[in-house]
Amino acid sequence: MNYWLFKSEPHVFSFADLKTQAPRPEPWTGVRNYQARNFMRDQMKPGDLALFYHSSCPQPGVAGVIHIASTPYPDPTQFLPSEEAFDPKATPAHPIWILVDVAWEADLPHPVSLARLRETPALADLAILRRGNRLSITPLTPDEFHAILLLSQTAPTS
DNA sequence: GCCAACGTTGGC
DNA sequence: GCCAACGTTGGC
């Protein structure tokens, strides 16, 4: 079992959107970064758990728990010129980008804000807290995953 | 809207 | 293969 963190801008696609359609999974389209792609291709397994992180929004932070619901397969948006994530170098015979399906797993008792993540010593090495981090998919250690779940058990103090 | 930081691109 | 320029990300 591996653990992951998926970033999304909630005005584009939010944890609430994913919950609304549960148990139907959502194809995680649009990843166009090789490192994030390789995590999906090489390490992700159906049943892996992940945290859904909201970025570029009034309350950035971890919104809920999701699970990986498929093996990797080609991201169809790479072939569609109408898509923002269209890649003219990709063809169905030679796809460049892949995705996995994700599905709602559980709500958190309390969302965990970016500020709380930053002030938690156990999360000092969290990938998304590193300066200049821009990866939309990052691995979590089991300890990090469980530390964030533990944080979510209590309401923020401020 | 600003700015720092990063990945990608493309000329050489 | 280098590296400057560029576009994007994301918090504030």
Side-chain angles (χ1 to χ4, degrees):
Chain A
M1 161 88 72
N2 296 309
Y3 297 97
W4 307 96
L5 184 146
F6 281 60
K7 270 194 305 207
S8 179
E9 302 186 17
H11 67 91
V12 177
F13 187 74
S14 72
F15 181 69
D17 294 332
L18 188 61
K19 183 181 182 184
T20 297
Q21 69 184 51
R24 184 163 60 87
E26 173 74 11
W28 197 264
T29 57
V31 171
R32 295 296 181 270
N33 172 282
Y34 288 103
Q35 205 178 340
R37 179 199 70 179
N38 294 347
F39 286 141
M40 291 192 284
R41 185 188 63 191
D42 302 334
Q43 298 183 44
M44 234 172 248
K45 296 286 185 292
D48 282 358
L49 294 177
L51 299 176
F52 194 119
Y53 179 91
H54 286 166
S55 67
S56 295
C57 60
Q59 305 280 340
V62 175
V65 186
I66 63 179
H67 67 265
I68 308 308
S70 77
T71 53
Y73 62 96
D75 179 344
T77 65
Q78 69 192 300
F79 310 127
L80 304 174
S82 60
E83 291 284 335
E84 188 181 351
F86 173 63
D87 187 336
K89 298 188 292 300
T91 65
H94 297 281
I96 298 172
W97 305 107
I98 57 164
L99 55 71
V100 295
D101 292 347
V102 301
W104 177 83
E105 173 76 20
D107 288 345
L108 294 174
H110 304 277
V112 182
S113 70
L114 174 61
R116 283 189 90 192
L117 298 176
R118 284 199 189 285
E119 70 193 18
T120 301
L123 301 175
D125 295 329
L126 198 66
I128 60 156
L129 300 184
R130 286 204 277 268
R131 221 160 56 107
N133 160 75
R134 286 168 42 183
L135 274 183
S136 59
I137 297 174
T138 51
L140 298 174
T141 68
D143 284 350
E144 288 169 340
F145 179 81
H146 291 108
I148 294 169
L149 289 193
L150 187 61
L151 277 178
S152 79
Q153 301 294 316
T154 58
T157 54
S158 56

